[in-house]
Amino acid sequence: MTKSNHFSEQPPETKGNRTMKKSQIRIWFLIPLIIFAAVMVMLYFRLGQPTEIVTNTALERPVPAFELPLLSDTSRIMTNDNLPDEPFLMNIWGSWCPTCVIEHPFLMQLEERGVNLVGVNYKDDIGDALSYLNRGGDPFSMSIQDLSGQFALDLGLTGAPETFTVDGEGVIRQHIVGEINESNWQDRIEPCLTVLNDANDNNVSPDAIQVEEVCK
């Protein structure tokens, strides 16, 4: 009796099957190349196109309504009624923010020049925030504690620090992204504040054309 060979019972692989397997392997190798080529085509057609991120901002609208604790005394709740009735800068800051640390000495200079600054302490530990002001000085006429960050988001914050120039009627006229320094103070912020202060001194609303030209 001869032993049966198990392998000899398997049907032989045909030339057609081998060709099909090779074709399938080629397809699997080609898929990543096709995806890569498609991405390159999309990137090519995006060249020169605007890449600005559009955010929901309160620009040209009143400061959003808020009820937030005073940073220096959290038992006191501040509202829009506590904001200055003259043009001021609303600065979003945090002790955890490296750029805020860089900006802070210039804010102290502005306070010495008589600029009214309102601080919004953004998503910060109160102990860290108060220590920050004790070390570097407090340039703010008041700081409110925005622990959840919702008020800053209502303003249109993209990331601290940011500053909003507000007129005497409580309307936001300018949004400065990033730190305030001597350069953008002279070029953008001071001219805007001058227009807003002139209107406030004359008890009139700021001229819309002037605001559009100066408070960019």
Side-chain angles (χ1 to χ4, degrees):
M1 179 182 295
T2 59
K3 294 181 179 180
S4 63
N5 190 331
H6 174 75
F7 293 103
S8 64
E9 296 174 359
Q10 302 301 317
E13 186 177 29
T14 66
K15 184 177 180 181
N17 287 339
R18 288 196 299 271
T19 303
M20 184 178 297
K21 287 183 178 180
K22 289 180 180 179
S23 298
Q24 290 173 341
I25 292 172
R26 288 196 191 98
I27 290 172
W28 282 110
F29 274 111
L30 284 173
I31 288 174
L33 293 175
I34 293 170
I35 294 173
F36 177 77
V39 171
M40 290 298 100
V41 169
M42 286 189 293
L43 290 176
Y44 174 79
F45 283 107
R46 285 293 300 164
L47 288 175
Q49 298 298 316
T51 57
E52 295 178 358
I53 299 174
V54 179
T55 59
N56 182 23
T57 178
L59 195 63
E60 299 302 330
R61 289 185 286 170
V63 173
F66 66 91
E67 293 182 5
L68 293 170
L70 184 67
L71 183 65
S72 58
D73 181 1
T74 54
S75 65
R76 295 178 59 190
I77 301 300
M78 300 289 104
T79 69
N80 297 67
D81 292 336
N82 298 109
L83 293 174
D85 56 3
E86 61 184 19
F88 65 95
L89 300 182
M90 179 172 280
N91 179 259
I92 316 297
W93 65 278
S95 65
W96 48 265
C97 162
T99 309
C100 299
V101 176
I102 296 171
E103 176 187 63
H104 196 81
F106 189 72
L107 298 185
M108 293 298 298
Q109 292 181 33
L110 292 183
E111 190 269 338
E112 291 174 1
R113 299 178 195 179
V115 178
N116 196 340
L117 290 155
V118 171
V120 178
N121 184 232
Y122 176 65
K123 289 188 174 182
D124 208 353
D125 176 83
I126 186 168
D128 293 341
L130 294 174
S131 296
Y132 175 90
L133 295 179
N134 285 333
R135 289 193 308 271
D138 188 351
F140 305 111
S141 57
M142 73 171 186
S143 277
I144 54 178
Q145 185 189 36
D146 186 17
L147 195 58
S148 71
Q150 185 57 55
F151 176 61
L153 292 178
D154 291 342
L155 286 167
L157 181 78
T158 60
E162 291 186 13
T163 301
F164 299 84
T165 306
V166 185
D167 69 18
E169 298 173 343
V171 176
I172 298 170
R173 300 296 189 173
Q174 190 178 54
H175 182 178
I176 305 296
V177 177
E179 68 171 294
I180 296 178
N181 50 45
E182 191 66 51
S183 177
N184 58 20
W185 165 254
Q186 292 184 5
D187 293 343
R188 297 183 61 193
I189 307 169
E190 186 177 30
C192 182
L193 268 180
T194 298
V195 168
L196 301 182
N197 278 319
D198 287 346
N200 195 68
D201 292 342
N202 292 309
N203 294 315
V204 297
S205 296
D207 182 85
I209 296 176
Q210 273 191 310
V211 169
E212 186 174 353
E213 290 178 351
V214 178
C215 299
K216 296 178 181 179

